[in-house]
Amino acid sequence: MATTKTDPKLPLTANGKKAKLYEGLTREQLIQAYRVIYTSRRIDDREILLKRQQKIYFQMSGAGHEGIGVAAGLALKAGYDWFYPYYRDRALCLALGVQPYDMFLQGVGAADDPSSGGRQMPSHWSYPALNIVTQSSPTGSQILQAVGCAEGGRYLARHPKAAEIPAGAADYRQFKNVSFQGDEVTYVSLGDGTSSEGEFWEAMNAAALGKLPVIFCVEDNGYAISVPVEVQTAGGSISRLVSGFPNFHFEEVDGTDPVASYAAFSRATRYCREGHGPAFVHAHVIRPYSHSLSDDERLYRPDAERERDAQRDPVTRTQMFLLREGILDEKGINQLEKEVDAELQIAVDRALQALPPAPESILKFVYSPDVDPASSAFDTQPVVPEVPADGKKPAAKTMADLITATLRDEMKRDERIVIFGEDVADCSREEYLKRKLVKGKGGVFKLTFGLQNEFGPDRVFNAPLAEAAIVGRATGMATRGLKPVVEIQFFDYIWPAMMQIRDELSVIRWRSNNGFSCPVVIRVAIGGYLTGGAIYHSQCGESVFTHIPGLRVVFPSNSQDAAGLLRTSIRCDDPVLFLEHKRLYRESFGRAAYPGPDYMIPFGKAKIVHPGTDLTVITYGAVVPRALQAAQKLEREQGVKVELIDLRCLNPFDWDTIAASVSKTNRALVAYEDTLSWGYGAEIAARIADQLFDKLDAPVRRVAAKDVFVAYQPILEDAILPQPNDLFLAMKELSEY
Ligand SMILES: Cc1ncc(C[n+]2csc(CCOP(=O)(O)OP(=O)(O)O)c2C)c(N)n1
Ligand SMILES: [Mg+2]
């Protein structure tokens, strides 16, 4: 009997015949793709109308990008893979399962908007159930987080026990349900203009280094607002520029063609799933609707150019394709479009009725609603060390010793902790350590010394010299449930990470209405009094960070506080900036015995370092020992009793202790190492003046650094930073006022 040869890849149709496939897509999938593309465009059109009618407040269209979006949505899996889309990815989101109604809820800023509850502009996607991670407006700040997300997934696959929540784990883990798949892929997209951002290149490098399963999708519509691609990208082709990155799979495709785009995405996805490394999809798309409603592209693009683009419009293109292939006839297309239009009408009508968020809700989710690091749960007692047999006192440990001890204890307790940064590993070339050829470095200040040796290179590793990447990757990992404790080598070099800290890390929970969180700990060596540190190794600047809602800021002055507060930082559920004063690392001031593996200090609880009745001095960090010296001298010489308060934690700070003390002494001096004007003490002084005016017998005074950078020559450094004598004179003068 003769056998008929058929293509084995073709699925059977109902009547047993093999159906034609289009790069693996069935006819039904192609109809579905057209439905998504058409829906996406119609939502844009409807939103534009609503904006003109002033019923919504902003509009950002995905027009022209629908082909690549729907292709990516078909190639990847919602709720399984992870997504860091950008504002033109409406079609992707629809393909993944976001409902048009939810998109209209964003537009009206409804309380029920699942992306942000009315906190973010429309087209800033966030859908936790689908693994679509909250997006912001800075172009490109999502890219490093996508890399961190992929790293997080891979770490969890290698350390599955880390995902478990140990019984009685009274920490952030109780509130993070961690899920991961062995072969998941992280998708991240950006525009052609955004590929000029430094963070894009940092992310490409990190993904290539780690062979991470990330698909970078550049949606190249030829313009960044009015700037054309040849002015943006050297040589005009991002594909050419990135072609030298190792370990990547590259695709360049017409992103207005959903079938070709699906083929490209499928190959990219397969490459990533199989663990070969990252992929780069360069999709050429069009932008038919100007950049946004505030832009009129006719001012910089002639008609001919726009008409040329229109020939490639994915809506008409896909429609023609379906007709040509006989997948749908004209009637079928009309029917589908009518159905979509009717569905959108219902969605718009419902969304316009939706309630706005309550003004009282504005402070909800600035911080974790589940874990309060200022609560008594974080108030534990230090373990009293046993007296050794020889009767000698247990060794007093430096701040550096106890920070290392705390990191070690916590890493033992919690496998979700990973440590990375510049030079933090013992030795990246592991074989040197294994063969005992070297001892290992463990940080420029040696605070992470021995941790790679003990916990392995998956958990303690060096990062490329790129601060935005350190914080961005950590943010992505923490979104997945890990607890990155990263190091910024010097406070003076934190600024490349500022966008990640201010616009991402600190606000992810709030802007996603508690849909996502990223409780990273950033340890930073800060401060001067170093003799020779100069401008770029000595600065403070903590008030820049206490000014950021959502970020906890801690600044201990002694070793026991450092241990207790670092543990609270790690176990809590908020992002923390943990400031470690370099001068205090090995100072004899403030050494203490090891307080045990569970010692914690709650945030926002100051310590009275020296009780007094005549004058309150409020300070923190390296000014504490200097102010103590001045206070002791004043008491000795003048009998003035200073109450010295070490704030320890700057956000939140302990207003109650300040208020109680100033109400008693009626005089307040705020002292800090940072430059005087606009510094941290300005806020404290203002609050005292505002809320304790009736209690004051003298003006609130401040002692701080001169309004200049710290200089190299020690004579200059001494003149610039507040010295014990400056503090002494200010205390004396205020006590005599
Ligand atoms: C860091 C940052 N700089 C500037 C802007 C303002 N801005 C918003 S979109 C945009 C152009 C982006 O162009 P491209 O990356 O090509 O994406 P497209 O809008 O063309 O899809 C600019 C400059 C921003 N949002 N973020
Ligand atoms: Mg563009």
Side-chain angles (χ1 to χ4, degrees):
M1 205 165 73
T3 51
T4 324
K5 277 201 172 170
T6 47
D7 183 341
K9 286 190 302 234
L10 299 183
L12 287 175
T13 58
N15 60 11
K17 280 190 186 160
K18 296 283 179 179
K20 187 175 174 192
L21 282 185
Y22 300 83
E23 301 289 358
L25 289 174
T26 61
R27 296 162 76 89
E28 287 67 31
Q29 281 175 307
L30 285 165
I31 296 170
Q32 177 56 18
Y34 181 63
R35 182 181 285 272
V36 167
I37 290 171
Y38 180 75
T39 305
S40 183
R41 184 66 62 88
R42 294 299 287 157
I43 294 176
D44 277 325
D45 292 340
R46 251 346 257 275
E47 280 191 358
I48 289 166
L49 200 65
L50 290 166
K51 172 74 177 75
R52 298 220 161 102
Q53 295 167 337
Q54 299 184 357
K55 291 182 175 159
I56 65 171
Y57 316 97
F58 187 79
Q59 209 280 329
M60 201 72 201
S61 97
H65 293 232
E66 297 98 338
I68 188 72
V70 75
L74 286 167
L76 296 165
K77 296 186 235 177
Y80 184 102
D81 295 313
W82 287 77
F83 300 88
Y84 286 77
Y86 89 119
Y87 46 83
R88 303 243 188 254
D89 279 344
R90 187 187 300 288
L92 167 78
C93 291
L94 290 168
L96 292 175
V98 177
Q99 296 303 306
Y101 172 60
D102 290 339
M103 294 189 175
F104 290 121
L105 284 181
Q106 274 193 316
V108 298
D112 287 343
D113 149 33
S115 281
S116 80
R119 290 170 175 193
Q120 288 230 85
M121 289 172 157
S123 297
H124 287 51
W125 323 108
S126 175
Y127 301 97
L130 302 171
N131 292 352
I132 300 176
V133 181
T134 170
Q135 293 305 295
S136 62
S137 299
T139 52
S141 54
Q142 74 279 21
I143 314 171
L144 285 163
Q145 292 171 38
V147 171
C149 170
E151 285 179 285
R154 186 161 74 187
Y155 180 88
L156 289 163
R158 286 182 183 168
H159 299 259
K161 277 190 116 32
E164 292 171 12
I165 303 170
D171 59 42
Y172 75 98
R173 284 175 294 182
Q174 294 170 87
F175 307 98
K176 274 273 188 201
N177 260 336
V178 174
S179 70
F180 60 93
Q181 316 291 338
D183 64 349
E184 63 183 49
V185 171
T186 301
Y187 163 97
V188 62
S189 61
L190 55 139
D192 46 296
T194 300
S195 70
S196 300
E197 291 282 0
E199 290 192 9
F200 164 73
W201 296 94
E202 293 182 18
M204 291 287 288
N205 187 41
L209 279 166
K211 288 190 168 187
L212 294 164
V214 181
I215 301 181
F216 293 77
C217 179
V218 171
E219 298 179 23
D220 184 352
N221 55 22
Y223 278 92
I225 308 186
S226 68
V227 182
V229 66
E230 72 275 12
V231 175
Q232 191 73 246
T233 305
S237 165
I238 189 64
S239 276
R240 205 174 322 138
L241 285 193
V242 300
S243 62
F245 273 101
N247 303 325
F248 264 86
H249 172 85
F250 293 102
E251 294 281 347
E252 186 167 3
V253 67
D254 181 347
T256 62
D257 175 346
V259 177
S261 297
Y262 177 76
F265 247 96
S266 299
R267 289 188 292 267
T269 305
R270 197 174 320 122
Y271 182 83
C272 291
R273 282 216 204 287
E274 287 172 0
H276 303 304
F280 188 88
V281 178
H282 180 187
H284 293 278
V285 296
I286 58 163
R287 196 195 67 184
Y289 283 7
S290 291
H291 172 72
S292 70
L293 282 192
S294 325
D295 174 47
D296 179 359
E297 66 176 357
R298 287 171 303 187
L299 296 174
Y300 52 87
R301 294 183 82 186
D303 288 348
E305 185 183 306
R306 295 189 303 120
E307 281 155 18
R308 217 168 34 242
D309 264 12
Q311 307 292 318
R312 294 171 54 225
D313 192 306
V315 177
T316 41
R317 210 178 160 158
T318 313
Q319 196 184 85
M320 297 313 287
F321 173 84
L322 295 179
L323 289 169
R324 203 172 53 240
E325 291 294 321
I327 296 170
L328 278 184
D329 58 13
E330 221 165 298
K331 211 172 124 217
I333 300 238
N334 283 339
Q335 174 67 21
L336 180 151
E337 293 181 355
K338 258 174 74 186
E339 278 168 27
V340 170
D341 290 343
E343 186 196 333
L344 295 190
Q345 187 58 51
I346 294 169
V348 170
D349 291 345
R350 273 181 71 207
L352 289 174
Q353 301 299 319
L355 293 176
E360 313 80 79
S361 68
I362 48 176
L363 293 181
K364 243 177 130 181
F365 310 132
V366 175
Y367 301 102
S368 168
D370 303 310
V371 180
D372 177 7
S375 72
S376 59
F378 289 87
D379 197 354
T380 61
Q381 293 307 304
V383 171
V384 181
E386 282 178 25
V387 181
D390 58 10
K392 280 192 196 151
K393 274 175 108 181
K397 302 287 186 190
T398 63
M399 185 191 277
D401 293 335
L402 288 192
I403 288 173
T404 309
T406 308
L407 292 172
R408 177 175 288 116
D409 288 344
E410 290 304 295
M411 288 192 82
K412 272 188 210 152
R413 179 180 175 274
D414 179 358
E415 205 182 345
R416 292 194 197 176
I417 297 174
V418 290
I419 289 183
F420 63 101
E422 292 153 17
D423 301 287
V424 301
D426 288 320
C427 182
S428 289
R429 294 182 175 160
E430 276 263 291
E431 70 273 16
Y432 295 166
L433 281 179
K434 283 194 187 126
R435 288 162 58 201
K436 301 213 178 337
L437 298 178
V438 296
K439 251 180 81 184
K441 185 166 176 72
V444 293
F445 297 102
K446 303 219 171 310
L447 270 76
T448 50
F449 177 71
L451 298 179
Q452 178 197 345
N453 238 329
E454 189 170 342
F455 297 100
D458 268 14
R459 298 193 63 196
V460 183
F461 52 91
N462 285 326
L465 203 171
E467 287 76 12
I470 293 170
V471 175
R473 287 166 61 193
T475 302
M477 289 181 200
T479 303
R480 297 297 304 278
L482 296 190
K483 175 64 78 164
V485 181
V486 296
E487 182 175 302
I488 295 291
Q489 203 162 67
F490 290 89
F491 182 85
D492 313 75
Y493 309 128
I494 200 167
W495 308 116
M498 196 61 187
M499 178 76 94
Q500 285 294 331
I501 296 173
R502 185 179 162 88
D503 286 349
E504 299 291 336
L505 179 75
S506 59
V507 71
I508 277 178
R509 190 191 290 277
W510 187 82
R511 77 175 187 222
S512 65
N513 213 11
N514 207 32
F516 292 96
S517 65
C518 48
V520 173
V521 178
I522 308 174
R523 296 179 38 247
V524 191
I526 191 171
Y529 300 109
L530 302 179
T531 319
I535 309 167
Y536 304 106
H537 295 85
S538 303
Q539 295 303 141
C540 283
E542 57 277 8
S543 62
V544 176
F545 295 89
T546 52
H547 195 62
I548 301 177
L551 184 68
R552 308 289 192 181
V553 182
V554 181
F555 201 156
S557 73
N558 60 76
S559 54
Q560 188 170 319
D561 286 355
L565 289 165
L566 180 57
R567 187 163 285 108
T568 302
S569 304
I570 291 172
R571 294 190 190 179
C572 85
D573 199 23
D574 296 318
V576 181
L577 187 71
F578 191 83
L579 301 171
E580 302 171 0
H581 202 290
K582 299 179 285 268
R583 180 62 201 262
L584 297 175
Y585 271 151
R586 295 180 169 83
E587 195 94 313
S588 47
F589 169 82
R591 293 188 185 191
Y594 169 65
D598 283 309
Y599 177 55
M600 285 183 287
I601 298 172
F603 286 172
K605 298 284 178 288
K607 179 160 136 187
I608 297 181
V609 178
H610 184 273
T613 46
D614 303 330
L615 160 71
T616 300
V617 176
I618 301 132
T619 188
Y620 53 91
V623 181
V624 172
R626 287 160 180 77
L628 182 61
Q629 206 180 317
Q632 286 166 339
K633 184 174 172 204
L634 193 62
E635 188 164 349
R636 254 191 339 266
E637 293 182 3
Q638 315 272 328
V640 174
K641 290 188 169 52
V642 170
E643 180 139 292
L644 178 60
I645 297 175
D646 177 0
L647 287 177
R648 311 196 286 190
C649 184
L650 306 185
N651 181 29
F653 75 95
D654 188 349
W655 172 249
D656 291 349
T657 295
I658 296 172
S661 180
V662 175
S663 301
K664 175 175 72 179
T665 64
N666 315 113
R667 287 174 161 76
L669 175 74
V670 193
Y672 49 103
E673 184 182 330
D674 199 4
T675 43
L676 177 79
S677 301
W678 327 109
Y680 184 78
E683 175 66 25
I684 306 285
R687 291 246 186 145
I688 295 172
D690 178 3
Q691 292 180 35
L692 302 173
F693 182 74
D694 296 345
K695 309 282 183 191
L696 291 172
D697 287 343
V700 184
R701 286 273 151 84
R702 283 178 291 158
V703 176
K706 305 288 184 296
D707 286 338
V708 66
F709 290 87
V710 178
Y712 170 69
Q713 162 60 247
I715 294 173
L716 299 183
E717 183 182 33
D718 283 356
I720 291 164
L721 294 181
Q723 302 300 325
N725 196 47
D726 301 322
L727 292 154
F728 173 81
L729 292 176
M731 291 180 196
K732 181 167 177 294
E733 196 190 304
L734 197 56
S735 68
E736 289 164 355
Y737 186 92

